[in-house]
Amino acid sequence: MPGKNLSREEAQQRAGILAVDGYEVRLDVTSAPDPAAAAFRSTTTVTFRCSRPGASTFLDLLAPAVRSVTLNGRALDAATAYDGARVHVDGLAAENVLTVEADCAYSRTGEGLHRFVDPADGETYLYTHYEPADARRVFATFEQPDLKAPFTFTVTAPAAWDVWSNAVHGNVTTEDGARTWEFAPTRPISTYLTAVVAGPYHVERDHYSREFADGTVLDIPLSAMCRKSLAPHFDADEILGVTKLGLDFFHERFDYPYPFGKYDQAFVPEYNIGAMENPGCVTFKEDFVFRSKVTDAAYENRANVILHEMAHMWFGDLVTPRWWDDLWLKESFADFMGSYALIGANTRYSSAWVTFANQRKAWAYRQDQLPTTHPITADIRDLEDAKLNFDGITYAKGAAVLKQLVAYAGSDAFFEGSRRYFQRHAFGNTELADLLGVLEETSGRDLKSWAAAWLQTAGVNALTPQVTTDAEGRITELAVLQDGEVFRPHRIAIGLYDRDADGALVRAERLEVDVTGARTVVPEAAGRTRPALVLLNDEDLTYCKVRFDEESLEALRTGLGDIGDDLARALAWSAVWNLTRDALMPARDYVALVLRFAGQEGNIGVLQSLHAQAKTAVDLYADPAWRGEGARLLADGALRELRAAVPGSDHQLAWARFLAQTAGGAEHLGLVRGLLTGSARIDGLDVDQELRWALWLALAAAGQASDEELAAELAADNTAGGKRQYTVCLAARPTPEAKAAAWSAVVDSDELPNALVEANIAGFALPSHRDLTALYAAPYFKLLERIWSERTIEIAMRFVGGFFPIAQTDEPTLAEADAWLDGHPQAAPALRRLVLERRDDLARALRAQACDRS
Ligand SMILES: [Zn+2]
């Protein structure tokens, strides 16, 4: 089996001589409901020109069997033309027609054409997911983003099914219990953006129309679908409502009519990522169909993702990065637009920038401090590099930098630049210079130094205030210190906060300054009374880590929760978390802050971050000698706040879930069991199905859920979600046998679907079970290369990240990781990157523990 990788050079060579006029792809998935059928028939006819007749090239295809290859009417020997990953053809003419007939495999891993059988009713569902390069698992293709072409799909499927693709369907004919759907040709799009969704999906329809200044009317049919068994939980009205607001917003800002005809949004099972922007046929993870109560943060997140994908219809689908180096050209924009449009499109999610500051940027800060960080414009040598680059830099840091660019160049220039970009590059491919070009035109600024500082260098700066005062407590000098490997220009607001009459910390002054070198003096501050709190980067204009002077830190210790402004408070929370991660604040101090102030945190998304971070602080960053006490404190705090929360509120649910995650002692576990059996009640708390599973997990992890009880819960919730949660619970039992079974289920067989691989890892790897899982560290390192070569990259990534012995926070484990890295310089770079990152997480935990111990 030759390599499945494709290098940037190969893609450049191919694009240098080829132009693709169109694909006709015929798929026959009538066998899908038969679990014994492993493959489906795929026939691709691609029409393309070659500027160097006589040259050779190849198509990408990952298929169990190729039946025939025909080039310009000449049958080639499939056995020699196909090497397991590529179909090689030579003797190209100036104009070519190539047909490849193959048997392609139904996927269990969410890559290619995924097949899922619903345990609730036995129905089979299919959908495709390709980015960056899995279209080749479904049809023969030139798998690179800059060989765009119109695609014409024809799909034969069981007669009772519906089928969707990027374009609208035309003729549907029925024969022998199967229906054949003929779809219209798409506009020219990249291979990774094509899509097919097929099955007995539940569908809700609507439409959007818009009249333009010239009197033309654009009508966009809308639909939203999910599995039939989820239909009772499907709030399509809310989804389609956000969709229409988004279509209004993007048409106003982009001034380019939506180019892909109709807009379907499919919520599909066992989806590997949040969503994918297939033109006209967006796919989402079905966790966005909420079958139990979730907090408003989940609704906000879903709306954000809907708008993110919609922004891609222009940034990404209409205009596409030439190669994965410029992935940020679409992902940073879409990530920025997700938050920007939540506000701009007048959705009900008004705290989008608080969420962005608190959660998206935390992702970026983490990623940017790993040894593997990279500039926003990355160097992507091949497809494995590309796969790993869907990361916190490409998305969240890029979005933060664009937010800053909007502040720097102005939103008018930014959107006028976007409009020119779409007009100039519609249905084409672009690089960094194409974007900078239009933005320089519209802003009148030279953006090269801005791009060099922000897009072409890696790393995050920390900004620290330095305050000196006179005997009367007046500021004699306020300076901002910048550290980091590269000094960048930061436009920041500085908030000076004092207590008001009610005790709230409120902003008394706002100063706006340009921070440039290592030390920037803020002259306007001199002569003012020293405030209680100096908050740098107030309003979150720039991308940096915020530090405090000693007095400000003391003000936070006694009053962080008293900061009245949601965004300022979220920034303060984010800053103290960064201090903890950087071993500058003991983990137990961070935990004390959370226990003291989380109960008064009004923003539900921020509260849920605090829960996750406080748990990480105890599990990984605290001195092991204090861990037990820390865990007890968290559980006590959760119980106290659960009882105090407003009945029926989101906050009450979040605290109940936090109790389930932290429960350890008899009192907590007793309440957990009581909530499950009904012998205990908390006013207003609905113990619905998802909460029940969270509570069962607490009991299972403590060894207090019997096999019969877990099986009975599954019998009562025989659904996809139930099966996943049940698997987590089994793997979370604190016995050597349970851990061995979970490990073996993932390692010894590749039969498990992606969702159950993830469930097994989640249950196996509970940090509190570190004594039970310690013996798996050695086999983990031994297996890395084998798993990387044998499994698909999606599954291999989960193995590498999920089974890394992060819970063994000790020097010997760090030494083991180092020994593997030293001993495997030739391992796949993408594998080394993942191990290096986890190794860095471990080293960070050890530093934080040392800080907590001191
Ligand atoms: Zn995206």
Side-chain angles (χ1 to χ4, degrees):
M1 181 85 167
K4 298 176 215 162
N5 220 336
L6 173 74
S7 72
R8 180 174 49 202
E9 281 67 35
E10 288 173 313
Q12 282 168 348
Q13 284 166 11
R14 204 158 53 175
I17 58 167
L18 301 187
V20 186
D21 293 317
Y23 288 83
E24 283 178 28
V25 180
R26 305 184 75 88
L27 305 175
D28 183 343
V29 297
T30 44
S31 66
D34 173 7
F40 58 93
R41 186 68 60 83
S42 160
T43 308
T44 308
T45 298
V46 53
T47 308
F48 61 101
R49 283 162 286 142
C50 174
S51 62
R52 232 192 297 136
S56 52
T57 191
F58 60 91
L59 281 92
D60 304 282
L61 177 65
L62 298 176
V66 172
R67 291 171 173 259
S68 70
V69 180
T70 310
L71 174 65
N72 300 330
R74 170 168 60 101
L76 310 182
D77 177 10
T80 52
Y82 183 56
D83 67 8
R86 296 176 176 185
V87 178
H88 298 272
V89 290
D90 47 23
L92 294 178
E95 297 190 351
N96 300 277
V97 179
L98 174 61
T99 298
V100 178
E101 198 184 3
D103 293 334
C104 292
Y106 294 110
S107 170
R108 283 188 295 273
T109 66
E111 300 153 291
L113 181 67
H114 188 81
R115 173 168 59 176
F116 173 83
V117 179
D118 190 336
D121 56 15
E123 295 283 11
T124 300
Y125 293 89
L126 302 178
Y127 64 86
T128 59
H129 178 71
Y130 299 151
E131 190 177 31
D134 283 321
R136 58 190 172 150
R137 294 181 187 277
V138 178
F139 56 93
T141 160
F142 297 113
E143 188 80 272
Q144 61 189 76
D146 59 343
L147 283 174
K148 288 190 173 185
F151 286 81
T152 307
F153 285 97
T154 303
V155 180
T156 303
W161 286 17
D162 280 325
V163 182
W164 293 265
S165 185
N166 304 92
V168 293
H169 67 79
N171 277 342
V172 180
T173 50
T174 306
E175 195 182 324
D176 296 339
R179 279 204 285 180
T180 296
W181 300 66
E182 294 175 33
F183 291 91
T186 67
R187 306 297 299 267
I189 56 175
S190 303
T191 54
Y192 77 91
L193 289 169
T194 59
V196 171
V197 173
Y201 285 89
H202 167 81
V203 56
E204 304 215 10
R205 295 191 170 84
D206 201 339
H207 77 278
Y208 170 86
S209 71
R210 181 176 185 83
E211 189 175 339
F212 293 94
D214 65 1
T216 56
V217 175
L218 178 68
D219 225 352
I220 305 174
L222 307 176
S223 80
M225 48 273 205
C226 68
R227 286 186 289 121
K228 272 196 301 196
S229 64
L230 280 177
H233 309 293
F234 196 37
D235 55 341
D237 286 353
E238 162 83 11
I239 290 164
L240 294 167
V242 171
T243 303
K244 290 179 194 173
L245 289 174
L247 286 169
D248 268 341
F249 177 78
F250 289 121
H251 277 104
E252 276 159 24
R253 295 304 166 106
F254 292 164
D255 195 29
Y256 190 107
Y258 172 71
F260 299 109
K262 49 90 180 178
Y263 202 71
D264 298 326
Q265 297 177 95
F267 294 78
V268 299
E270 300 186 330
Y271 202 49
N272 283 329
I273 58 170
M276 180 67 207
E277 69 266 21
N278 314 304
C281 192
V282 182
T283 37
F284 293 83
K285 66 176 177 181
E286 69 177 18
D287 292 359
F288 284 135
V289 181
F290 306 125
R291 65 190 197 118
S292 292
K293 179 179 165 73
V294 294
T295 69
D296 217 36
Y299 287 95
E300 180 191 308
N301 179 35
R302 183 178 68 181
N304 185 316
V305 174
I306 289 170
L307 296 171
H308 173 124
E309 304 311 328
M310 192 182 290
H312 273 314
M313 297 299 133
W314 290 266
F315 276 114
D317 295 358
L318 177 64
V319 182
T320 310
R322 182 169 311 290
W323 177 250
W324 303 102
D325 308 67
D326 280 313
L327 178 61
W328 76 281
L329 270 179
K330 71 181 183 77
E331 290 308 341
S332 303
F333 275 86
D335 214 54
F336 169 72
M337 286 296 168
S339 299
Y340 190 87
L342 276 179
I343 306 289
N346 294 315
T347 70
R348 67 186 178 89
Y349 307 105
S350 55
S351 53
W353 289 122
V354 176
T355 308
F356 184 80
N358 189 251
Q359 284 156 46
R360 296 310 270 187
K361 285 178 100 166
W363 184 26
Y365 296 142
R366 174 189 177 271
Q367 193 100 41
D368 214 2
Q369 293 172 86
L370 291 169
T372 54
T373 190
H374 55 86
I376 292 173
T377 58
D379 176 27
I380 302 300
R381 295 157 297 190
D382 56 35
L383 289 178
E384 285 195 359
D385 276 4
K387 180 77 181 174
L388 265 66
N389 226 39
F390 292 80
D391 64 10
I393 302 299
T394 304
Y395 284 68
K397 183 181 178 184
V401 166
L402 287 178
K403 181 170 187 245
Q404 197 225 32
L405 176 66
V406 172
Y408 177 68
S411 65
D412 289 349
F414 180 80
F415 281 102
E416 179 54 29
S418 302
R419 291 189 279 273
R420 291 189 195 180
Y421 181 73
F422 301 137
Q423 291 293 346
R424 213 166 282 175
H425 302 288
F427 302 105
N429 295 85
T430 54
E431 296 165 359
L432 169 64
D434 299 309
L435 181 77
L436 289 186
V438 288
L439 290 174
E440 286 188 337
E441 283 171 29
T442 57
S443 70
R445 288 172 187 250
D446 177 5
L447 293 176
K448 285 178 193 65
S449 60
W450 176 85
W454 287 106
L455 301 177
Q456 293 165 321
T457 56
V460 56
N461 301 112
L463 301 184
T464 310
Q466 191 179 50
V467 191
T468 53
T469 50
D470 62 16
E472 276 83 54
R474 279 191 302 266
I475 295 175
T476 49
E477 187 185 77
L478 169 60
V480 179
L481 309 183
Q482 175 170 199
D483 74 10
E485 281 169 28
V486 183
F487 294 139
R488 299 186 178 83
H490 299 270
R491 180 105 193 142
I492 63 165
I494 303 175
L496 307 181
Y497 286 77
D498 270 313
R499 295 268 181 191
D500 70 5
D502 301 326
L505 271 171
V506 294
R507 191 163 69 189
E509 292 282 350
R510 175 189 187 278
L511 308 171
E512 192 164 324
V513 295
D514 286 312
V515 170
T516 48
R519 188 169 193 277
T520 305
V521 175
V522 185
E524 308 93 294
R528 295 166 196 268
T529 306
R530 146 101 229 184
L533 168 66
V534 178
L535 179 62
L536 300 184
N537 198 30
D538 204 358
E539 298 177 355
D540 199 33
L541 299 181
T542 194
Y543 170 81
C544 69
K545 288 195 288 187
V546 171
R547 305 298 200 208
F548 302 99
D549 63 311
E550 212 19 77
E551 255 188 272
S552 296
L553 201 52
E554 192 48 40
L556 293 178
R557 284 200 183 94
T558 55
L560 194 161
D562 302 330
I563 300 174
D565 180 71
D566 275 7
L567 179 56
R569 200 173 59 251
L571 290 168
W573 277 123
S574 163
V576 293
W577 176 239
N578 277 324
L579 289 174
T580 310
R581 280 174 35 85
D582 290 350
L584 297 170
M585 173 180 276
R588 67 191 72 191
D589 288 9
Y590 178 78
V591 168
L593 274 173
V594 171
L595 289 171
R596 180 161 184 185
F597 295 119
Q600 66 193 84
E601 178 51 56
N603 182 293
I604 185 67
V606 171
L607 177 64
Q608 289 174 281
S609 295
L610 294 179
H611 287 160
Q613 288 163 353
K615 182 134 182 18
T616 301
V618 169
D619 286 338
L620 299 182
Y621 296 161
D623 177 4
W626 184 76
R627 224 182 247 148
E629 189 186 337
R632 241 183 339 272
L633 288 172
L634 289 185
D636 287 344
L639 184 56
R640 187 180 66 237
E641 299 297 346
L642 172 60
R643 294 198 185 284
V646 175
S649 65
D650 283 1
H651 285 64
Q652 185 188 47
L653 174 61
W655 284 109
R657 291 187 153 275
F658 193 51
L659 177 68
Q661 286 164 24
T662 54
E667 185 197 356
H668 311 125
L669 290 169
L671 175 62
V672 164
R673 181 166 280 282
L675 289 170
L676 278 168
T677 60
S679 67
R681 279 194 75 246
I682 291 188
D683 190 26
L685 183 70
D686 179 12
V687 184
D688 58 20
Q689 189 59 60
E690 287 294 333
L691 184 55
R692 287 185 68 80
W693 281 116
L695 297 168
W696 277 119
L697 177 57
L699 293 180
Q704 296 188 15
S706 71
D707 294 358
E708 293 73 30
E709 286 174 320
L710 294 175
E713 191 68 28
L714 176 64
D717 178 29
N718 186 26
T719 64
K723 201 166 160 189
R724 233 162 55 197
Q725 301 289 6
Y726 173 74
T727 305
V728 177
C729 287
L730 289 187
R733 291 170 299 171
T735 64
E737 295 76 23
K739 298 302 173 190
W743 172 269
S744 172
V746 175
V747 170
D748 297 332
S749 149
D750 68 354
E751 291 298 308
L752 275 189
N754 50 350
L756 296 185
V757 166
E758 187 166 279
N760 273 293
I761 293 174
F764 173 94
L766 291 180
S768 56
H769 292 170
R770 50 177 63 80
D771 292 346
L772 282 165
T773 52
L775 60 101
Y776 292 89
Y780 166 85
F781 288 109
K782 204 171 291 168
L783 278 167
L784 279 173
E785 282 183 299
R786 202 191 92 200
I787 296 283
W788 192 262
S789 67
E790 289 180 0
R791 302 298 176 86
T792 67
I793 193 164
E794 190 66 44
I795 300 299
M797 284 167 68
R798 283 170 204 220
F799 174 89
V800 179
F803 278 135
F804 184 94
I806 187 72
Q808 316 301 327
T809 47
D810 54 27
E811 294 292 344
T813 307
L814 187 67
E816 254 181 301
D818 285 334
W820 186 87
L821 286 163
D822 291 345
H824 296 82
Q826 301 306 323
L831 169 59
R832 283 185 57 85
R833 172 176 170 175
L834 288 172
V835 176
L836 260 171
E837 291 180 349
R838 294 303 269 157
R839 184 260 174 219
D840 192 70
D841 287 337
L842 178 54
R844 181 177 287 276
L846 291 174
R847 290 195 299 273
Q849 287 182 8
C851 168
D852 191 55
R853 208 173 293 126
S854 64

